[in-house]
Amino acid sequence: MSAALVLVCSACFFLAIGVPVAFALGLSTAATLVLAENYPLMVLLKETFTGMDSFPLMAVPFFILAAELMSGGSLTEVLLRFAGQFVGHKRGGLGYTNVVSLTFFSGISGSALADAAGPGSMLIKMMDKAGYDRAYAAALTASTAIVGPIIPPSIIMIIYALQDETVSVGALFAAGILPGILIAVAMCIVNFRVSRQRNYRGEGSLPPLAEILATTWRAVPAILLPVVILGGMRAGWFTPTEASVVAVFYALVCGKFVYRTLEWKALPDILARAALLSASVLIIIGLSASFAWVLTIEGIPQMLAELLVSMNLAPWMFLVIVNIFLLLFGIFIEPLPGVMVLVPILAPVAMKLGIDPVHFAMIVIVNLTLGMITPPVGGLLFVTCNVSRVPMTQLVRELVPFLWAHGIVLVLLTFVPALSTWLPRTLGFK
């Protein structure tokens, strides 16, 4: 128990002084191994590499590379034109364009940070020029960008499936579609209300049918990427890891031969960016694995699981407690290490209470993802502030109605399991 105390206290200390989450977990694990004297320090290296030594994890760098290739192939502009033609002329039209574009882009990137830094930065500039408050544009972008890890493909879902063997990557991918759309609809409702209050007018009129059809036809290859991934997995043509490789080739063909905007000379930079982002993700995964190993060896997950089971909570009460805990936990910890540390503890308890594993997975993923836009530590807030050049205080002020909308969506996901489980069952995923 002393080792667990050292682990938790040192992790809190390193996080409090501003050490990045991955290194805070690694340093706290090292401090525990040194001070507790129960385990050799070599455990840190061994478990870090063991955490990254997984065949399914190969999907992470390939999906990241696919997103970079699609972005390098001018996909952002294609999706912006596609989304804008339907909603750009309405009141608050650029706000709707923001939501629809980022929702489509999330089906390619799988990353909230990539959505905010890429198409999100372009949309903020467009909304600013059109007369929208820049802080509002940034808040809308950050609030919508969190659908990136929820709509497939999703890096977080791949990691979750590795931590909980009762769910498959395919089932989680399918389960994320309806919650992601529900979040997008909620953001559109907030945009509708704010646009009426502030008189944010649309621009132009609905394009001619011929132009709509031409723009839609041009966007079809980009929109089909998630369909190819899910459809191929459901048909048994490839595994999730193989699907990530298919996504890379699909993105390369679209950028080079369909849209003809991807230059061969741009590939070294694209590969470098994908490698750096992949390395940062794998470092988090590896060091989180070493942290989780110490917790497991000390029996903390088992102890907490027994405590929760002994409380004889009704399933709905357990879910309410988990929601509150995860929302607080997500304020300080990023989603990836949160999944690595918490899922082995909470998922078995949910299973014993009869809660559907896919339903519970979506609750955990949405909760931890919401932590990216909750101050003071939300990583997505800092990225959005950086690309929009909006002070954090202004951004947080504009976030309030969006956070309420996210809260309502979370309540619906918690108490209406079909929102998470209907589509995976319909498609035949287990």
Side-chain angles (χ1 to χ4, degrees):
M1 192 64 186
S2 59
L5 184 63
V6 172
L7 183 71
V8 174
C9 291
S10 57
C12 293
F13 170 75
F14 288 123
L15 289 171
I17 63 176
V19 176
V21 173
F23 296 108
L25 296 178
L27 288 172
S28 60
T29 303
T32 303
L33 295 174
V34 171
L35 297 176
E37 298 181 351
N38 294 332
Y39 319 104
L41 189 58
M42 185 60 69
V43 166
L44 175 60
L45 294 177
K46 177 182 177 297
E47 293 303 321
T48 297
F49 281 98
T50 299
M52 295 185 287
D53 184 18
S54 170
F55 179 74
L57 268 183
M58 290 180 64
V60 172
F62 281 115
F63 275 129
I64 291 173
L65 177 57
E68 290 290 340
L69 286 170
M70 282 295 219
S71 299
S74 299
L75 175 70
T76 303
E77 292 82 354
V78 172
L79 291 179
L80 280 176
R81 284 195 293 270
F82 172 72
Q85 67 181 348
F86 296 110
V87 293
H89 63 285
K90 299 181 179 294
R91 183 187 296 274
L94 277 179
Y96 297 125
T97 301
N98 187 316
V99 175
V100 176
S101 298
L102 289 180
T103 302
F104 279 122
F105 199 82
S106 68
I108 295 161
S109 70
S111 167
L113 298 179
D115 288 359
S121 62
M122 294 177 57
L123 288 159
I124 291 171
K125 292 175 184 176
M126 290 170 60
M127 293 178 70
D128 183 40
K129 290 181 180 178
Y132 290 74
D133 187 281
R134 196 173 183 86
Y136 171 74
L140 177 61
T141 299
S143 300
T144 307
I146 70 165
V147 301
I150 297 171
I151 290 181
S154 167
I155 295 171
I156 294 177
M157 290 178 180
I158 297 172
I159 306 306
Y160 190 104
L162 290 175
Q163 303 304 309
D164 183 2
E165 296 181 354
T166 62
V167 296
S168 67
V169 174
L172 293 182
F173 278 7
I177 295 176
L178 286 181
I181 293 174
L182 192 60
I183 291 173
V185 170
M187 298 304 99
C188 285
I189 293 173
V190 175
N191 180 66
F192 171 80
R193 182 172 178 273
V194 173
S195 297
R196 291 196 62 179
Q197 290 176 340
R198 303 183 185 181
N199 197 28
Y200 291 148
R201 297 187 177 276
E203 293 185 341
S205 58
L206 187 68
L209 180 59
E211 184 178 336
I212 291 177
L213 292 176
T215 304
T216 302
W217 177 254
R218 181 169 172 77
V220 165
I223 297 171
L224 281 180
L225 178 59
V227 178
V228 170
I229 293 170
L230 269 179
M233 291 168 58
R234 174 64 187 90
W237 296 339
F238 36 73
T239 66
T241 305
E242 293 164 347
S244 65
V245 180
V246 171
V248 169
F249 280 99
Y250 186 92
L252 185 61
V253 170
C254 282
K256 182 61 182 177
F257 302 107
V258 177
Y259 297 119
R260 299 180 180 179
T261 52
L262 181 63
E263 300 291 337
W264 293 123
K265 63 182 180 182
L267 286 182
D269 287 338
I270 290 174
L271 291 170
R273 288 197 303 271
L276 287 173
L277 186 53
S278 299
S280 65
V281 171
L282 291 174
I283 287 173
I284 293 174
I285 293 171
L287 292 175
S288 298
S290 65
F291 185 91
W293 182 89
V294 176
L295 282 179
T296 303
I297 292 299
E298 289 296 307
I300 303 303
Q302 297 88 331
M303 182 186 70
L304 291 176
E306 291 173 3
L307 175 63
L308 289 170
V309 170
S310 67
M311 295 172 68
N312 294 319
L313 296 173
W316 70 268
M317 292 179 63
F318 172 74
L319 290 178
V320 169
I321 293 173
V322 166
N323 273 312
I324 296 172
F325 172 72
L326 289 176
L327 285 172
L328 295 174
F329 188 87
I331 292 176
F332 304 101
I333 300 294
E334 295 177 4
L336 280 180
V339 166
M340 296 283 293
V341 173
L342 294 179
V343 170
I345 299 174
L346 298 175
V349 180
M351 176 71 76
K352 289 183 179 179
L353 293 176
I355 299 169
D356 188 283
V358 173
H359 175 216
F360 186 72
M362 290 312 304
I363 292 174
V364 172
I365 290 169
V366 172
N367 263 297
L368 292 177
T369 305
L370 279 177
M372 301 179 74
I373 59 168
T374 50
V377 185
L380 194 52
L381 296 183
F382 292 103
V383 171
T384 309
C385 285
N386 185 44
V387 299
S388 66
R389 298 180 182 177
V390 170
M392 179 68 76
T393 53
Q394 294 182 23
L395 177 60
V396 171
R397 193 179 305 118
E398 293 284 359
L399 268 176
V400 174
F402 295 105
L403 291 175
W404 278 107
H406 280 298
I408 294 171
V409 171
L410 184 58
V411 170
L412 289 174
L413 291 177
T414 300
F415 294 105
V416 186
L419 290 172
S420 303
T421 60
W422 174 77
L423 192 55
R425 289 174 180 171
T426 301
L427 296 177
F429 288 106
K430 296 181 179 179

